[in-house]
Amino acid sequence: MRFSVGIVSFIPCLFGLTFVGAVPTKDCAYAVKESIAEPHGWTKDSQPSPNHKIELKIALPQPNFAELERHLYEVSNPDHERYGEHLSKEEVEELVAPHPESLNMVNEWLSSFGFKDEDLARSPAKDWITLKVPVSIAEKMLDTKYHVWKHVESGDYLVRTTSYSLPTNLHAHIDLIQPTTMFGRFKSEKSSIFSAVPIPDSLVQANNAIGTIEAASGVSVDASCNQTITITCLQELYNAVGFKPSAKGNSIGITGYLEEFANFQDLQTFYADQRPDALNSTFNVISVAGGLNNQSLDEAGGEANLDTQFAFGLSHPISPTFFTTAGRPPFIPEEGGSEDTNEPYTVWLDFILSHPNPPLAISTSYGDDEQTVPFSFAQRACAGFAQLGARGVSLLFSSGDGGVGDGDSNPATQTCISNDGKNTTKFLPAFPASCPFVTAVGATTHIPEVAVSRFFSGGGFSNYFTRPAFQDKVVSAYLKALPKGTFAGLFNLNGRAYPDVAAQGDLFKVFVGGEAFLIGGTSASSPTFAGFVALLNDVRLKAGRPSLGFLNPFIYSKGFAGLNDITVGHNSGCGTLGFNATKGWDPVTGFGTPNFGKLRELVLSL
Ligand SMILES: *[C@@H]1O[C@H](CO)[C@@H](O)[C@H](O)[C@H]1NC(C)=O
Ligand SMILES: *[C@@H]1O[C@H](CO)[C@@H](O)[C@H](O)[C@H]1NC(C)=O
Ligand SMILES: *[C@@H]1O[C@H](CO)[C@@H](O)[C@H](O)[C@H]1NC(C)=O
Ligand SMILES: *[C@@H]1O[C@H](CO)[C@@H](O)[C@H](O)[C@H]1NC(C)=O
Ligand SMILES: *[C@@H]1O[C@H](CO)[C@@H](O)[C@H](O)[C@H]1NC(C)=O
């Protein structure tokens, strides 16, 4: 490895392999970089094999991120003269590039452990370094001890530590290194509480009943849509009947993780049932880090099929892509030598940021409890989402399925306990929904639409991200109207509030392994909303305008007028009824569900 050692005061420290016998200078002494309390719900299980491979990801600081953020807000604010002037990949990379001194310092440190440039993978902006190392080396590099940890409820395992150190002279040059303190349990937001059920005959008969019902927005909807949601139901309910996308250069993406495979044959069955004009069309599959898409019907994933069938069914014939990302933490320690990865969405983020043409609307139905993702990591992932927004990509995320609580547990046993060692009772916001640079989608059901109250429509207030200016007015108004002392101490009054919007999210008729199921979750609402964003991008592109990009500044300033306000329902969790849906924005359904006819006019007026 070669260095350009032109930096003043650059005194290399000697570490690792070359450390033996050398006396470290004061700067080179290790100090704790990050430390967390023993995570709630996990116990220390055993020692990992010293050869267990870890894929370390090292984040170098992005000293100009504030500048990127300024550009992002300018090009996303409909009232700014630069609205729609999205940045190129190269412009974004320049704005997140680390300082050369950080690069040099980290290179020097890695080379002292014998790593050469060819051992490292770097992101295009050089702000992330990835390298695979055995646990025994990671322990030396980070002056720590890894353990195998067991998640008590699920029996899942992770190799992690609760604290790691770095030479003090590197603290300013490294934001974070993972996997170390990350105890996330990345999960699909397909409701795990009411599992998918095959459609009963009685329902099929009920759905054959003819008739229509009036939705709140005045449109007519097939009566069957109150029991079963299909593409036609969503087109009717959201006022997009007869719209045919035709612009060139438009695209939509669905992310898939955790070995959820999207099945082509099921898609055809779905299209035959709900979108006959899309029959014989298919989607592109992009494998990220070796992700598979096994086409055996036994392997068809409920989540992947739900997401692809509805997002692509709604937006046909806009160019569809399914990203299948490998990686499945937690892992099974018995499978010696298996690799232990980070949250796979950062693997995807790395990939998509390197991609010259990411899809213009992308939906993700996976997330974590915010508190299980270390703050430093959540911040960097969120900064990655900002970069995509600056490039003109709209990112939709499920708001989570646990109401104000932990979507992973049964409401009866929901704990809602803080992970900071203090065991405080509190609401548990979801990440990435809590990142201000993504658009979080909550869930409604039935006609007239109400929030899905019994178990999901995740919503609330971030404990990590402060409230962005674009939502301050409406969120303050919501908080002001709350009875005094409501849920005092359970949530962060100053946090980024979510969701931003909502869409139907229950009773979706999905084909999985050749059979029809009814599936619900904010997993259903996010791809649905993304489908409509893709249609709106079509309207924009056809008029010679750029894509919508980062949606929130538009939604909070103008777009809300094109959404159906949901005013009934609440998001139970943590032994409470949660927040209420109300007139205007609320932390259950945001501003509400799309009215395509109105939104289409609005996006043309920008
Ligand atoms: C739809 O179903 C819900 C729940 O069963 C019910 O409350 C509502 O009245 C139904 N809507 C119509 C228009 O019948
Ligand atoms: C799909 O392909 C079949 C068989 O080639 C053909 O009969 C049918 O018309 C096609 N449908 C559409 C909508 O293209
Ligand atoms: C796909 O899944 C089937 C059924 O589980 C399995 O038998 C087959 O080996 C898998 N194929 C690949 C290429 O992994
Ligand atoms: C928090 O809960 C765990 C068990 O889940 C217990 O071991 C620990 O002692 C508790 N800590 C405090 C400060 O109460
Ligand atoms: C929700 O509405 C109910 C009924 O009006 C009310 O009793 C309750 O206090 C409200 N809860 C919140 C959190 O606003």
Side-chain angles (χ1 to χ4, degrees), residues 13 71 79 136 159 179 184 197 209 282 291 367 417 423 454 504 512 534 541 585-586:
C13 296
H71 284 281
D79 293 322
S136 55
V159 173
V197 284
T282 186
I417 288 185
N423 296 355
R454 256 171 86 207
Q504 286 276 323
V512 186
L541 296 177
W585 182 91
D586 56 69

Side-chain angles (χ1 to χ4, degrees), residues 118-194:
E118 55 266 31
D119 302 326
L120 318 173
R122 293 179 195 272
S123 62
K126 299 190 163 53
D127 55 336
W128 284 97
I129 297 172
T130 306
L131 76 159
K132 278 186 190 159
V133 296
V135 150
S136 55
I137 301 289
E139 288 182 337
K140 287 205 182 82
M141 294 169 72
L142 306 177
D143 190 21
T144 187
K145 195 87 197 129
Y146 278 87
H147 282 90
V148 177
W149 291 76
K150 183 175 184 179
H151 187 248
V152 180
E153 193 190 317
S154 65
D156 290 335
Y157 295 94
L158 283 175
V159 173
R160 295 291 188 266
T161 172
T162 53
S163 168
Y164 70 95
S165 297
L166 287 172
T168 48
N169 68 343
L170 279 182
H171 280 219
H173 300 287
I174 290 180
D175 271 354
L176 66 99
I177 300 187
Q178 291 289 352
T180 48
T181 55
M182 170 113 69
F183 283 82
R185 297 189 63 249
F186 191 66
K187 61 197 176 232
S188 132
E189 302 292 4
K190 175 166 65 72
S191 177
S192 51
I193 297 164
F194 290 84

Side-chain angles (χ1 to χ4, degrees), residues 40 181 183-184 368-375 406 416-420 424 426-431 463-464:
H40 187 79
T181 55
F183 283 82
D368 282 302
D369 293 341
E370 187 186 65
Q371 69 168 358
T372 66
V373 183
F375 173 67
D406 176 350
C416 297
I417 288 185
S418 72
N419 215 5
D420 55 4
T424 322
K426 61 177 191 179
F427 290 165
L428 298 179
F431 182 80
N463 290 314
Y464 283 176

Side-chain angles (χ1 to χ4, degrees), residues 318-445:
I318 292 168
S319 171
T321 299
F322 175 64
F323 294 92
T324 172
T325 302
R328 193 191 170 88
F331 83 116
I332 313 293
E334 289 76 35
E335 290 173 5
S338 73
E339 276 165 17
D340 202 15
T341 58
N342 289 282
E343 302 305 67
Y345 57 69
T346 56
V347 174
W348 174 80
L349 204 42
D350 260 12
F351 175 88
I352 201 77
L353 285 169
S354 312
H355 198 287
N357 292 305
L360 297 178
I362 302 176
S363 172
T364 300
S365 294
Y366 301 77
D368 282 302
D369 293 341
E370 187 186 65
Q371 69 168 358
T372 66
V373 183
F375 173 67
S376 56
F377 194 86
Q379 208 173 28
R380 279 302 289 256
C382 188
F385 298 133
Q387 292 164 54
L388 280 172
R391 287 173 60 185
V393 175
S394 302
L395 293 171
L396 293 309
F397 278 81
S398 300
S399 71
D401 287 355
V404 292
D406 176 350
D408 200 44
S409 338
N410 181 326
T413 56
Q414 237 173 27
T415 49
C416 297
I417 288 185
S418 72
N419 215 5
D420 55 4
K422 296 183 187 141
N423 296 355
T424 322
T425 299
K426 61 177 191 179
F427 290 165
L428 298 179
F431 182 80
S434 69
C435 165
F437 304 126
V438 308
T439 300
V441 188
T444 63
T445 186

